[in-house]
């Protein structure tokens, strides 16, 4: 039985696309059965449409309180018997109640090597700071934003002349590799969240989930 997975987006949806591609493999432990956007007409919804995946828009602007948006979202996810949620460029903070309810079944991708550069304007801040390595992280979502334990990370070099856009594009390529990898690990229970930490079962060797920037 493949785990019924929902992907939540707010925009372009390139990570959604990489997850759809991975899930279309003959053998994959997750099936994307629903795509939800909090932004009407988000371009990423086209990827769901092209793949024949049901989609829903739950516009946060229609709710006065964050909890009401979270409840509406939760109701749809329960109704669809979702077992796993992937946030993929979903730019809404989810409340503590929602996060607690979905703990261990809610993962996110962030375009930095967490805990560096939490929040927004990530690539701009990375370039400004002069770091030589940035990257991306797939992590379990916990109540504090961008703070949950990592499942997979990829390191990406930062060139001395990199613009924000150049770095963003390089990191995005790595995101498209690690998100499917992390989804597979969570869905087939090779990893789990326990006492606020990621516990690795079958994947004990760091080489399995570190993407080496030298590989190009
Ligand atoms: C991605 O770079 C993702 O890591 C980032 O938004 C972008 C969405 O792109 N997410 C965050 O910054 C969350 N804190 P996409 O819509 O093409 O997948």
């Amino acid at each position: 039985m493949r785990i019924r997975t929902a992907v939540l987006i707010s925009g372009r949806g390139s990570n959604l696309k990489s997850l759809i591609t991975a899930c279309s493999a003959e053998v994959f432990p997750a099936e994307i059965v629903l795509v939800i956007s909090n932004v009407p007409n988000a371009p990423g919804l086209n990827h769901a449409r092209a793949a024949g995946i049901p989609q829903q828009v739950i516009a946060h602007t229609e709710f006065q309180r964050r909890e009401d948006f979270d409840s509406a979202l939760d109701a749809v996810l329960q109704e669809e018997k979702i077992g796993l949620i992937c946030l993929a460029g979903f730019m809404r903070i989810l409340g503590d109640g929602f996060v607690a309810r979905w703990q261990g079944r809610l993962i996110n991708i962030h375009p930095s090597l967490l805990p560096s550069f939490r929040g927004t304007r990530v690539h701009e801040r990375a370039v400004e700071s002069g770091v030589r390595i940035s990257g991306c992280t797939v992590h379990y979502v916990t109540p504090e934003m961008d703070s949950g334990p990592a499942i997979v990370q990829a390191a990406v070099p930062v060139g001395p002349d990199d613009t924000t856009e150049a770095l963003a594009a390089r990191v995005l390529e790595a995101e498209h590799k690690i998100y499917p990898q992390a989804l597979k690990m969570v869905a087939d229970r090779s990893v789990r969240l326990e006492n606020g930490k990621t516990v690795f079962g079958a994947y004990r060797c760091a080489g399995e989930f570190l993407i080496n920037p030298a590989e190009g």
Side-chain angles (χ1 to χ4, degrees):
M1 273 281 278
R2 303 209 287 163
I3 188 159
R4 291 175 66 79
T5 303
V7 182
L8 274 52
I9 65 167
S10 299
R12 176 179 57 183
S14 69
N15 278 290
L16 164 64
K17 188 166 179 242
S18 76
L19 295 176
I20 291 173
T21 303
C23 289
S24 69
E26 207 169 302
V27 181
F28 198 84
E31 179 186 13
I32 301 172
V33 294
L34 181 63
V35 172
I36 298 177
S37 171
N38 67 313
V39 176
N41 303 318
L45 289 170
N46 290 326
H47 297 305
R49 202 167 293 126
I53 299 169
Q55 50 175 277
Q56 289 203 30
V57 171
I58 305 177
H60 62 274
T61 47
E62 287 177 13
F63 299 86
Q64 288 204 335
R65 300 181 316 155
R66 186 179 300 282
E67 305 88 276
D68 297 338
F69 170 75
D70 289 358
S71 298
L73 186 59
D74 188 61
V76 170
L77 295 163
Q78 302 284 352
E79 171 76 24
E80 294 298 325
K81 303 196 169 19
I82 296 302
L84 187 55
I85 306 169
C86 295
L87 306 182
F90 183 70
M91 298 314 221
R92 255 336 264 170
I93 293 173
L94 294 162
D96 291 0
F98 183 95
V99 171
R101 180 192 263 273
W102 289 94
Q103 186 158 299
R105 300 178 296 156
L106 176 58
I107 63 176
N108 178 47
I109 188 155
H110 184 77
S112 75
L113 283 178
L114 292 174
S116 294
F117 306 114
R118 294 172 172 141
T120 56
R121 298 196 307 109
V122 172
H123 303 301
E124 194 180 325
R125 284 157 53 217
V127 167
E128 266 168 21
S129 74
V131 292
R132 297 273 61 90
I133 294 184
S134 189
C136 47
T137 304
V138 180
H139 63 97
Y140 285 109
V141 176
T142 54
E144 201 186 331
M145 193 183 65
D146 298 333
S147 294
I151 303 164
V152 184
Q153 293 189 297
V156 171
V158 185
D161 302 320
D162 263 348
T163 58
T164 302
E165 293 72 23
L167 178 60
R170 194 174 309 122
V171 170
L172 193 64
E173 246 181 74
E175 292 185 45
H176 296 162
K177 290 183 190 166
I178 68 165
Y179 212 172
Q181 197 178 354
L183 172 57
K184 180 172 183 299
M185 290 163 72
V186 174
D188 73 11
R189 307 286 295 156
S190 303
V191 291
R192 61 185 192 278
L193 180 68
E194 224 174 78
N195 300 323
K197 292 220 162 71
T198 304
V199 177
F200 293 85
Y203 293 82
R204 293 214 174 275
C205 163
E208 293 263 5
F209 46 86
L210 174 75
I211 292 184
N212 184 341
E215 282 174 359

